[in-house]
């Protein structure tokens, strides 16, 4: 597989979303997800041929992603920000009218929930974000993180409870402002 | 704060990992305390919102392809992402009215099918395609060709300008801006401005150095 560029590329496409979620869970706030994911992609292509056991791919990719995300904290980023997040790749721009759609409001709530999740400790944040990637099961999260399923389940349960409290705190705080 | 059995069961239900026995157990708990359903609803709502937020952010992942092995070894692929900052300045300059002339081609050795080298918008590339293609297909073709020739560096997140529900009640009309980050090589640059009478003027830009760091 390592010698087949098409297979290498296809495999990356299968995994890049959850790898991005891992980076999102560990990166500093000012580091750009795109830059870090690009860096992981480069390391993946450079070193995939060294991977002897295909079954260990998830764990290996996660280790690379965590490493890239954490070391990004030592670099400053001045990346220009073209939009402020958005709904499925969109965001309300300068010309947005007052007729803001339900879709944009939902995206805003989603962004707020993500910010709340990012205030949790990394060991809770990571499985929570991974669970939001389409198709990631408890089993796959456990495999990627190198943890027993029961531990993942316990962390998710705690994380979700903390998330609800954090969102409630944020809502209450916003209402009091 | 160890999670309770109820937390675990609610988690399984929320994550679509619950077995029939889990459901039965949760229903038994709810029979004794109907507040279980409220807490389940809260968990599902929190998950749905977070899922939305995460999915929105992760759309960027679709833009990051695995580089060619040779590019990865040389580090060129990483450079592309980091070069955005510098090249974004050119895109921004175009937006504020800088016109260029004497375009010498996209990249050394690259040619433009339009016969108008480096024509903004790449009309030649688009019209060279087969007729009756949908705009999205044409746009994809434009982006693919641009990437292959080194002109298109990336397509940036769309910016929603306006949306409104359709009168039929089914769906919405959405007006949005698509942004493509591009790179061209130019010989000379001219700035389009206005004189004291408001008449348009064109003046050469003496030191064409520009880097945008503010949001566009």
């Amino acid at each position: 597989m390592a010698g087949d560029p098409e297979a290498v590329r296809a495999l990356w496409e299968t995994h890049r979303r959850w790898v991005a979620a891992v980076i999102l869970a560990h990166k500093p706030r000012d580091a750009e997800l795109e830059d870090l994911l690009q860096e992981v992609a480069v390391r993946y292509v450079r070193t995939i041929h060294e991977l002897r056991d295909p079954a260990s791919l998830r764990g290996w990719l996660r280790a690379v992603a965590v490493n890239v995300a954490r070391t990004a904290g030592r670099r400053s980023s001045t990346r220009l920000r073209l939009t402020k997040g958005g709904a499925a790749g969109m965001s309300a721009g300068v010309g947005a009218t007052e007729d803001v759609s339900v879709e944009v409001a939902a995206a805003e709530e989603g962004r707020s929930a993500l910010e709340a999740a990012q205030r949790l400790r990394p060991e809770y944040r990571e499985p929570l974000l991974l669970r939001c990637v389409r198709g990631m099961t408890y089993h796959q999260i456990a495999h990627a993180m190198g943890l027993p399923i029961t531990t993942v389940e316990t962390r998710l349960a705690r994380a979700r409870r903390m998330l609800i409290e954090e969102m409630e705190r944020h809502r209450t705080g916003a209402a009091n402002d | 704060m160890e999670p309770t059995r109820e937390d675990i069961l609610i988690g399984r239900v929320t994550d679509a990992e619950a077995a029939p026995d889990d459901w039965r157990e949760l229903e038994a708990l709810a029979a004794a305390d109907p507040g279980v359903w409220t807490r389940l609803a809260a968990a599902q709502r929190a998950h749905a919102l977070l899922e939305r937020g995460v999915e929105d952010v992760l759309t960027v992942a679709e833009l990051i392809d695995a580089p060619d092995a040779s590019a990865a070894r040389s580090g060129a692929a990483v450079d592309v992402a980091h070069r955005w900052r510098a090249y974004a300045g050119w895109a921004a300059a175009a937006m504020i009215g800088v016109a260029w002339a004497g375009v010498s081609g996209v990249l050394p050795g690259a040619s433009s099918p339009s016969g108008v080298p480096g024509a903004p918008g790449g009309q030649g590339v688009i019209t060279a395609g087969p007729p009756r293609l949908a705009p999205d297909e044409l746009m994809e073709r434009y982006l693919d060709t641009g990437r292959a020739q080194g002109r298109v560096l990336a397509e940036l997140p769309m910016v929603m300008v306006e949306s409104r529900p359709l009168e039929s009640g089914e769906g919405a009309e959405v007006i949005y801006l698509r942004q493509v980050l591009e790179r061209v090589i130019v010989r000379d640059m001219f700035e389009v401005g206005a004189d004291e009478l408001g008449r348009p003027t064109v003046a050469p830009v003496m030191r064409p150095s520009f880097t945008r760091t503010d949001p566009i």
Side-chain angles (χ1 to χ4, degrees), chain A residues 17 91 131 138 153 161, chain B residues 7 12 15 55 72 84 160:
Chain A
R17 283 186 83 85
S91 66
R131 187 59 196 88
Y138 284 2
E153 198 174 47
R161 196 201 279 184
Chain B
D7 289 333
R12 287 181 188 171
D15 292 329
E55 283 293 332
W84 278 25
M160 183 183 288

Side-chain angles (χ1 to χ4, degrees), chain A residues 113-151:
Chain A
L114 178 57
E115 284 171 6
Q118 286 178 314
R119 289 193 287 272
L120 305 183
R121 280 168 30 199
E123 64 265 35
Y124 297 110
R125 195 191 310 149
E126 184 178 349
L128 200 55
L129 298 192
L130 281 174
R131 187 59 196 88
C132 290
V133 178
R134 277 192 299 269
M136 283 293 274
T137 62
Y138 284 2
H139 177 78
Q140 289 170 325
I141 295 169
H143 189 198
M145 295 185 71
L147 294 170
I149 288 183
T150 50
T151 305

Side-chain angles (χ1 to χ4, degrees), chain B residues 91-180:
Chain B
M95 290 173 65
I96 60 173
V98 172
W100 51 67
V103 175
S104 62
V106 174
L107 282 175
S111 63
S112 167
S114 67
V116 184
Q123 302 95 313
V125 176
I126 290 177
T127 53
R132 294 176 186 273
L133 285 180
D136 280 346
E137 292 171 302
L138 285 168
M139 186 69 180
E140 284 308 311
R141 179 171 296 193
Y142 174 76
L143 294 173
D144 288 344
T145 307
R147 283 191 195 100
Q149 295 187 353
R151 175 179 182 134
V152 171
L153 298 177
E155 184 176 10
L156 303 170
M158 295 177 187
V159 177
M160 183 183 288
V161 175
E162 188 177 342
S163 73
R164 65 173 72 87
L166 292 175
E167 286 181 5
S168 66
E170 294 181 5
E173 177 187 47
V174 180
I175 298 173
Y176 60 96
L177 175 69
R178 286 185 80 163
Q179 305 177 98
V180 179

Side-chain angles (χ1 to χ4, degrees), chain A residues 73-136:
Chain A
R74 295 173 212 142
R75 298 191 302 261
S76 63
S77 173
T78 54
R79 177 69 165 279
L80 78 166
R81 185 169 292 285
L82 293 141
T83 61
K84 291 187 173 181
M90 294 184 176
S91 66
V94 176
T97 68
E98 292 185 5
D99 180 23
V100 177
S101 69
V102 172
E103 183 72 2
V104 171
E108 194 58 49
E109 284 192 290
R111 189 153 50 238
S112 179
L114 178 57
E115 284 171 6
Q118 286 178 314
R119 289 193 287 272
L120 305 183
R121 280 168 30 199
E123 64 265 35
Y124 297 110
R125 195 191 310 149
E126 184 178 349
L128 200 55
L129 298 192
L130 281 174
R131 187 59 196 88
C132 290
V133 178
R134 277 192 299 269
M136 283 293 274

Side-chain angles (χ1 to χ4, degrees), chain A residues 15-60:
Chain A
H15 291 279
R16 62 188 172 189
R17 283 186 83 85
W18 73 261
V19 171
V22 171
I23 294 172
L24 191 61
H26 291 277
K27 79 177 185 68
R29 290 187 71 87
D30 61 346
E32 291 293 338
L33 179 62
E34 304 97 297
D35 285 353
L36 302 183
L37 188 59
Q38 179 81 57
E39 199 168 326
V40 174
V42 169
R43 291 195 192 187
Y44 159 78
V45 171
R46 272 186 197 156
T47 50
I48 182 71
H49 64 278
E50 294 171 8
L51 193 67
R52 295 283 166 252
D53 176 14
S56 62
L57 177 69
R58 277 182 196 276
W60 175 77

Side-chain angles (χ1 to χ4, degrees), chain B residues 181-214:
Chain B
L181 192 63
E182 300 194 356
R183 172 198 186 211
V184 292
I185 306 295
V186 301
R187 276 203 304 272
D188 303 296
M189 284 180 66
F190 295 88
E191 188 169 16
V192 179
D195 64 14
E196 62 277 11
L197 297 175
R199 292 174 301 200
T201 61
V202 178
V205 177
M206 301 310 291
R207 298 174 60 192
S209 177
F210 179 91
T211 301
R212 188 183 189 102
T213 54
D214 298 329

